[in-house]
Amino acid sequence: MNNMNFEQARENMIKQQIRTWEVLDEHVLNLIAQIPRENYVPEQYKQLAYADTEIPLGAGEIMVLPGIEARLLQALDAKPTETVLEVGTGNGYLTALLASTARHVISVEIRPDFSETAARNLKDNGIHNVTLEVGDAASGWEAHAPYDVILISGSVPVLSENFQYSLKVGGRMVAVVGESPTMEAVLITRVGESEWTHEYLFETDIPPLRNAPEPQHFSL
């Protein structure tokens, strides 16, 4: 595809996939229109950059559907004054979207090779307000807490309370919670020192975060 084809594909994706996923926030739509998703897709899958399909990243990891990415961004509503924690950098596409709306993004990836790829992608696309760190953040990442916004990019069977306590009062977090095939995207807002609200956004089924805490299963 040439650049003209990618631009048309991006426009079609927004009309046919993003808007139909109830993403109507013009700021989010403009972000997605401005950031070339194909620049973050593995070379062999670039022709699928704007398709309504999961894209393999290797090692069992994927880019989730564009509609899911957009719904998560819309729910988080990151502001230019805010600091974001992203758990699971992947190829850096969601990192770039978050960085283009927030003050700074701290993104933690358990796989060093993924983090290196994301670093190249972000640099090549002029995204600089990001700190990439390598580590296991499946149960929390308190190094720079508290955060205004937290995004957990893989699913978790159970959500560690560490994340909720790492939010500032007024802070928001989105996580996909549950076990395949039944998971729900949840928006959690910290409204007090020991008080949070939960809003269930939509059902989905995405790969689990590596080393995510497992629920206790009791047997007689």
Side-chain angles (χ1 to χ4, degrees):
M1 280 191 177
N2 56 38
N3 289 335
M4 185 74 70
N5 297 134
F6 276 128
E7 290 174 11
Q8 185 62 56
R10 193 180 312 131
E11 184 178 325
N12 291 343
M13 177 191 73
I14 291 170
K15 289 179 180 177
Q16 298 166 11
Q17 299 175 50
I18 306 301
R19 287 185 176 273
T20 58
W21 262 75
E22 301 178 16
V23 178
L24 303 176
D25 186 309
E26 288 299 327
H27 178 61
V28 172
L29 296 173
N30 288 338
L31 275 180
I32 292 170
Q34 292 164 10
I35 295 180
R37 197 173 192 257
E38 70 272 17
N39 291 356
Y40 296 85
V41 172
E43 190 66 35
Q44 66 269 36
Y45 298 115
K46 282 192 183 293
Q47 74 276 14
L48 298 176
Y50 296 102
D52 188 20
T53 188
E54 297 174 345
I55 297 177
L57 299 178
E61 304 296 333
I62 61 163
M63 288 181 75
V64 299
L65 300 179
I68 294 177
E69 294 169 334
R71 283 290 298 272
L72 298 179
L73 279 174
Q74 179 172 261
L76 286 170
D77 191 25
K79 303 292 196 298
T81 56
E82 294 183 321
T83 298
V84 178
L85 170 67
E86 179 188 34
V87 178
T89 311
N91 56 358
Y93 176 64
L94 268 173
T95 318
L97 288 169
L98 289 165
S100 297
T101 189
R103 184 185 69 81
H104 195 83
V105 177
I106 297 154
S107 187
V108 186
E109 171 59 52
I110 196 169
R111 291 182 59 93
D113 54 336
F114 279 22
S115 189
E116 290 169 7
T117 297
R120 287 194 299 271
N121 290 340
L122 293 165
K123 181 180 179 182
D124 290 347
N125 287 276
I127 305 291
H128 302 295
N129 58 326
V130 174
T131 299
L132 297 179
E133 300 186 346
V134 175
D136 183 354
S139 295
W141 196 257
E142 299 177 5
H144 310 281
Y147 306 99
D148 300 290
V149 172
I150 298 175
L151 171 63
I152 302 175
S153 63
S155 65
V156 291
V158 292
L159 183 63
S160 170
E161 286 189 350
N162 293 337
F163 287 114
Q164 298 184 64
Y165 283 98
S166 290
L167 283 172
K168 294 179 181 177
V169 174
R172 290 91 59 211
M173 169 174 58
V174 165
V176 175
V177 182
E179 296 180 273
S180 185
T182 306
M183 303 176 183
E184 272 193 304
V186 185
L187 172 66
I188 299 171
T189 304
R190 188 172 190 176
V191 295
E193 287 300 320
S194 56
E195 187 177 359
W196 296 263
T197 62
H198 295 69
E199 178 184 349
Y200 294 92
L201 303 173
F202 56 90
E203 292 185 354
T204 187
D205 187 357
I206 64 174
L209 196 69
R210 196 177 296 254
N211 294 346
E214 293 290 336
Q216 292 184 340
H217 294 291
F218 296 98
S219 58
L220 297 176

